[in-house]
Amino acid sequence: MSLPVEKNKIYEVTVDSLGSNGEGIGRIEGFTIFVEGALPEETVKVLIVKLKKSYGYGKMIEIISPSPYRVEPRCPVAKFCGGCQLQHFSYEGQLAYKARKVKDDLERIGGLKNLEDLPAFGMENPWRYRNKAQFPVGNGKEGAVEVGFYAKRSHRIVDTPVCYLQDAVNDEITVIVRNFMEEFKVSAYDEEKHKGLVRHILTRVGRNSGQIMVCIVINGKSIPYSEVLVERLLQVKGIVSIVLNVNKEQTNVILGKKIITLWGKQTIEDSLDSITFEISPLSFYQINPTQTEVLYNKAVEMADLRGEETVLDLYCGIGTISLFFAKKAKKIFGVEIIPEAIEDARKNAKRNGIYNATFEVGAAEEVIPRLYQEQGITADVIVVDPPRKGCEQTLLETIATIRPEKLVYVSCDPATLARDVHFLCEKGFQVVDVQVVDQFPMTIHVETIALITRVDK
Ligand code: SAH
């Protein structure tokens, strides 16, 4: 069967959505074309550069009618850097797009009808919001050291002296490490040859505590002249922890397991609302603290606890949602697959004087069905916050059998949220509230929170 487009020919295409890397997606006679750099509502002229059976790639050669939301990126390397995808889209446009995407997915995949237009809760200032940075380090020309981010779909480093999504203190820290490495000829890691020392600079900044951690990830056990590096880093106000992380594996995984202290503590503290957390370089912690508070407060509002409820917090990480809920519920039980995160969750509960929260390590889709079968566990409210692939069917089946009064679903992928909503609606649940909270400005990622209740009260 012949395709409606040919390679190396020019076509006009109108973009209607964005793909997982922020590329525009449009159709020519129903045939899908991906166009890097094009925005929804734009009509563009493209040269077809690659064709597959069911889709193709077009290189944008002209914008015939631009999106009203098109803006000049703030960052000079936005076009090449893979760190964020949507700087050419005004923030207002990003929010409108994310809200529409959630609504479309819930209607198309979730089978919901007549949803009202959803608001998206954005940031007042959508820049410099991240509390964690991971800069790959590489060898540039003539002994220069490169520090930045990987280019789109590659592991080539785009040198980035300033990143507007990160806390400004990173601009100081990366210069110090870069100059130190050049001066003392400390080698950067070469991924292909699996040689060289410094792989990544990782930083964490406690937004409320002001505490800063610098973690240098190395392919070795020590760093030469580390006392000089420490002395220089200590010029930066707020640093409480300087550590090395040993990663000698030939892998894309950034961190190894071993942490060596160069100066200060191995963790930093931070707080969300009035709850304090101790965070190690290895644990998962929400990266946008301002919006995390908005998100968790929405979760509390949706759960509308009265103090008598038993709550399950599934995919609980270091127990952040559990601890947010604990004072308002009778009992909380959190489940999470990473053992270190559960250790942190237990410690964090204790540190905040919370004794009605218990935690168990395991896959939610195994632990919950097992506890239901063995002990007939019940819950008034269940919170789920799964990774992008959403909840396993076995877990959803058990949730449907437990029949909690309320399910608060926190999702980082509207398509899998919609799929799971579809399943639950067939089992006698209904969606009563959906909110989009923008946790990741300038990126394609969409965070949604939905309140799902059982139909028969
Ligand atoms: N609710 C937490 C973490 C959300 S991120 C917070 O707000 O901070 C999703 C979490 O799910 C991660 O910590 C990940 O380790 C965990 N996870 C992934 N698959 C899982 C599974 N099958 N069962 C339980 N937890 C899982």
Side-chain angles (χ1 to χ4, degrees):
M1 212 185 77
S2 74
L3 302 175
V5 290
E6 275 178 54
K7 201 174 155 183
N8 295 330
K9 289 212 166 156
I10 292 173
Y11 297 85
E12 255 183 50
V13 58
T14 301
V15 169
D16 54 35
S17 58
L18 294 170
S20 56
N21 293 309
E23 68 281 32
I25 303 177
R27 266 153 270 271
I28 297 173
E29 292 175 41
F31 187 79
T32 301
I33 303 289
F34 292 97
V35 191
E36 177 92 49
L39 290 173
E41 296 176 55
E42 284 185 336
T43 302
V44 294
K45 217 177 242 182
V46 296
L47 173 72
I48 301 297
V49 288
K50 199 167 165 186
L51 273 181
K52 300 264 178 188
K53 261 192 205 137
S54 55
Y55 59 91
Y57 293 93
K59 183 173 179 335
M60 185 160 68
I61 49 177
E62 188 190 333
I63 303 177
I64 297 169
S65 63
S67 155
Y69 295 124
R70 180 170 279 280
V71 290
E72 220 20 71
R74 178 170 174 190
C75 172
V77 295
K79 218 170 163 186
F80 318 104
C81 177
C84 48
Q85 305 86 35
L86 300 182
Q87 282 205 23
H88 55 308
F89 204 2
S90 73
Y91 192 47
E92 191 193 352
Q94 292 175 29
L95 291 176
Y97 174 76
K98 290 182 184 185
R100 181 164 69 81
K101 162 100 175 106
V102 173
K103 184 174 179 227
D104 284 356
D105 283 352
L106 285 173
E107 290 182 341
R108 195 172 42 86
I109 307 169
L112 302 187
K113 294 205 175 69
N114 307 322
L115 275 179
E116 282 176 29
D117 281 344
L118 304 169
F121 292 89
M123 300 189 77
E124 234 166 76
N125 173 9
W127 301 100
R128 301 258 186 219
Y129 61 83
R130 287 187 61 103
N131 58 10
K132 175 182 168 189
Q134 302 181 123
F135 302 96
V137 181
N139 298 301
K141 283 190 188 120
E142 291 162 18
V145 169
E146 288 177 331
V147 180
F149 291 99
Y150 292 128
K152 291 182 175 136
R153 289 179 290 279
S154 108
H155 269 211
R156 188 173 54 76
I157 295 172
V158 178
D159 211 304
T160 322
V162 173
C163 172
Y164 296 112
L165 300 199
Q166 306 293 352
D167 194 291
V169 78
N170 286 287
D171 307 339
E172 280 177 71
I173 293 170
T174 51
V175 168
I176 292 174
V177 180
R178 185 199 294 258
N179 290 348
F180 164 80
M181 288 177 65
E182 287 175 357
E183 194 177 326
F184 290 91
K185 307 226 172 342
V186 176
S187 60
Y189 181 66
D190 181 324
E191 260 186 8
E192 272 163 32
K193 299 192 183 119
H194 189 45
K195 281 209 170 102
L197 189 62
V198 178
R199 302 174 70 129
H200 274 82
I201 305 168
L202 180 147
T203 68
R204 282 187 187 270
V205 180
R207 189 57 59 91
N208 294 321
S209 67
Q211 297 190 0
I212 298 167
M213 164 187 291
V214 179
C215 170
I216 313 279
V217 185
I218 53 170
N219 172 38
K221 280 197 236 134
S222 62
I223 197 162
Y225 308 102
S226 59
E227 66 290 350
V228 180
L229 179 62
V230 166
E231 192 191 310
R232 291 185 185 179
L233 283 170
L234 288 177
Q235 306 298 316
V236 180
K237 208 171 135 245
I239 291 190
V240 297
S241 164
I242 304 174
V243 296
L244 297 175
N245 174 272
V246 177
N247 184 357
K248 294 199 216 165
E249 304 294 315
Q250 194 156 16
T251 167
N252 281 344
V253 178
I254 295 177
L255 291 171
K257 288 214 158 78
K258 189 166 178 197
I259 309 276
I260 300 168
T261 306
L262 287 183
W263 188 85
K265 313 188 289 177
Q266 284 206 352
T267 54
I268 60 163
E269 283 163 28
D270 199 24
S271 58
L272 285 172
D273 261 6
S274 57
I275 301 163
T276 59
F277 296 93
E278 199 167 309
I279 308 151
S280 85
L282 298 171
S283 12
F284 172 88
Y285 184 62
Q286 298 279 356
I287 57 93
N288 183 339
T290 312
Q291 291 298 87
T292 298
E293 281 184 358
V294 176
L295 181 73
Y296 288 177
N297 281 320
K298 295 242 174 275
V300 168
E301 222 175 276
M302 285 181 176
D304 190 22
L305 299 171
R306 293 184 180 86
E308 281 311 308
E309 296 86 350
T310 300
V311 180
L312 302 183
D313 176 14
L314 309 182
Y315 311 86
C316 70
I318 60 168
T320 25
I321 296 181
S322 298
L323 303 185
F324 240 69
F325 274 40
K327 292 205 174 99
K328 301 180 180 75
K330 186 167 153 208
K331 269 194 320 201
I332 309 263
F333 177 60
V335 180
E336 157 66 45
I337 205 158
I338 303 211
E340 290 83 3
I342 288 292
E343 268 172 46
D344 284 349
R346 290 184 180 134
K347 267 195 234 154
N348 285 327
K350 216 166 165 188
R351 172 193 171 100
N352 287 282
I354 290 169
Y355 299 103
N356 60 343
T358 50
F359 298 95
E360 186 165 323
V361 179
E365 64 275 15
E366 284 166 20
V367 175
I368 299 303
R370 175 170 52 76
L371 290 181
Y372 180 74
Q373 280 197 338
E374 289 173 2
Q375 303 169 17
I377 53 159
T378 58
D380 304 296
V381 175
I382 299 181
V383 181
V384 294
D385 185 3
R388 276 184 217 146
K389 67 177 182 173
C391 297
E392 297 285 328
Q393 177 112 356
T394 45
L395 175 64
L396 292 176
E397 274 162 13
T398 310
I399 291 175
T401 321
I402 292 176
R403 290 194 79 63
E405 202 179 313
K406 289 176 191 141
L407 173 68
V408 177
Y409 195 132
V410 181
S411 153
C412 51
D413 183 342
T416 55
L417 166 69
R419 178 202 65 201
D420 293 351
V421 156
H422 187 269
F423 178 87
L424 289 164
C425 287
E426 286 189 336
K427 300 276 180 186
F429 288 83
Q430 62 192 349
V431 176
V432 294
D433 193 6
V434 181
Q435 311 268 355
V436 179
V437 178
D438 192 25
Q439 294 271 66
F440 311 105
M442 310 302 143
T443 80
I444 193 72
H445 302 292
V446 184
E447 189 88 5
T448 314
I449 180 164
L451 174 62
I452 300 164
T453 59
R454 43 168 211 247
V455 176
D456 52 336
K457 285 251 172 94

